[in-house]
Amino acid sequence: MRLKALTLATALALTPLAAHAQTAEPAPAKFKAIKIVLVGDSTTAVLGGWGPSFCGWHVTSFAACINLARGGRSSGNYRAEGSWALAMDEIKSGGFTDTYVLIQFGHNDQPGKPGRSTDLATEFPANMKRYVEEVRAAGGKPVLVTPLTRRQFKDGKLIDDLGPWAEAVRKVAVETGTPLVDLHARSQAAVQAMGPVEAMQFAQRPPSAEVVEAATKTGTTIAASTGVPVAPGAPAQNQQNNAAVEPMGQARLSFDYTHLGVVGADYFSTIVTDELSKSVPALRRYLIP
């Protein structure tokens, strides 16, 4: 009798649990979204590049945007120091329908930057190809980005010191069948049309009066840190030493002709968005012009 009572009590205790299991709602469908990972140097990175504005204002809530660009990095030392390994972890993490990786290098691959410079003819294109191959092998979708132009002028003409590196990226894009965002061509045309004085609005800090005066009178930009006026036809050494003002690490909040403030980030991230929507049509619904 006692055993029958215990059996009945146990059955009564389990009944509510069984009923709950039968009426429990099914798990909701998994939210579908994509991921965009930014890889590059200070002209893409937070505080100095176009990346923050791109992630903050140009992608919808159906796209996670992660900025892994770092100041002072080239196509060589970004990998050597382990930053690329971190990017690969993001690419392989899963959970997203697609992962797009935007890759922009060139500024620090130029000569004169010990520990960063790469050979333009061999090492730089090989590095860019390897990034493309490894993104694809990890299941991601690479997008190559040509380097953002600097904003230095000589006699009213923009100095295209990054042209060879931009062309190398274009060739890699063709050879590997990779979508290309030609930020260099678009930014170069825009800055040239503005001229040296108007383009100064893109810097992190306002220029000195001497810098503005020299550009206004001669069409030539002078070293931002000296403020020494330059006469028409002056030799090239009056130009800013970019290797000295583009540090290995976080860009300094100052006036120069490379890094971007809020106005510059907003302006060039809009160009990136426009070019990206053209080169990768599948991304258009995730982008805000």
Side-chain angles (χ1 to χ4, degrees), residues 70-263:
R70 302 186 67 202
R73 271 62 186 183
S74 68
S75 67
N77 70 341
Y78 188 86
R79 176 188 295 276
E81 71 178 9
S83 291
W84 179 242
L86 179 63
M88 288 296 289
D89 287 342
E90 285 293 340
I91 299 167
K92 296 176 181 178
S93 66
F96 293 84
T97 56
D98 285 303
T99 298
Y100 293 86
V101 186
L102 276 62
I103 307 166
Q104 180 202 290
F105 288 109
H107 283 77
N108 297 296
D109 287 86
Q110 292 184 300
K113 298 186 176 183
R116 296 182 272 175
S117 301
T118 62
D119 181 77
L120 175 60
T122 58
E123 192 177 3
F124 179 65
N127 288 344
M128 300 304 282
K129 287 180 182 178
R130 187 178 174 188
Y131 284 131
V132 167
E133 292 167 355
E134 292 183 2
V135 168
R136 286 176 174 156
K141 297 184 177 182
V143 179
L144 291 173
V145 184
T146 55
L148 175 72
T149 187
R150 292 191 178 94
R151 304 178 299 278
Q152 291 166 280
F153 284 76
K154 180 69 174 176
D155 298 328
K157 184 177 181 180
L158 183 65
I159 299 172
D160 186 19
D161 61 337
L162 283 158
W165 283 264
E167 185 58 28
V169 175
R170 295 185 191 109
K171 288 181 180 179
V172 171
V174 172
E175 292 170 0
T176 59
T178 304
L180 177 74
V181 170
D182 201 345
L183 177 58
H184 184 76
R186 288 284 301 271
S187 61
Q188 185 185 22
V191 172
Q192 176 64 71
M194 292 179 183
V197 177
E198 186 178 351
M200 291 178 184
Q201 67 178 310
F202 294 145
Q204 293 177 312
R205 290 284 187 264
S208 67
E210 291 84 2
V211 165
V212 175
E213 181 182 11
T216 302
K217 290 182 177 179
T218 69
T220 297
T221 50
I222 63 174
S225 60
T226 64
V228 178
V230 62
Q237 59 260 31
N238 288 297
Q239 293 295 325
Q240 176 173 280
N241 181 351
N242 292 313
V245 299
E246 296 172 9
M248 178 64 175
Q250 183 64 58
R252 293 186 291 266
L253 282 174
S254 60
F255 175 82
D256 63 40
Y257 304 106
T258 299
H259 301 108
L260 304 175
V262 174
V263 173

Side-chain angles (χ1 to χ4, degrees), residues 22-76:
Q22 293 175 359
T23 60
E25 295 183 1
K30 188 175 181 179
F31 178 75
K32 295 182 178 180
I34 67 162
K35 181 191 290 185
I36 300 175
V37 179
L38 306 183
V39 168
D41 54 40
S42 60
T43 60
T44 300
V46 175
L47 195 63
W50 54 264
S53 182
F54 175 80
C55 289
W57 298 102
H58 293 288
V59 298
T60 72
S61 58
F62 291 88
C65 189
I66 300 173
N67 192 345
L68 296 181
R70 302 186 67 202
R73 271 62 186 183
S74 68
S75 67

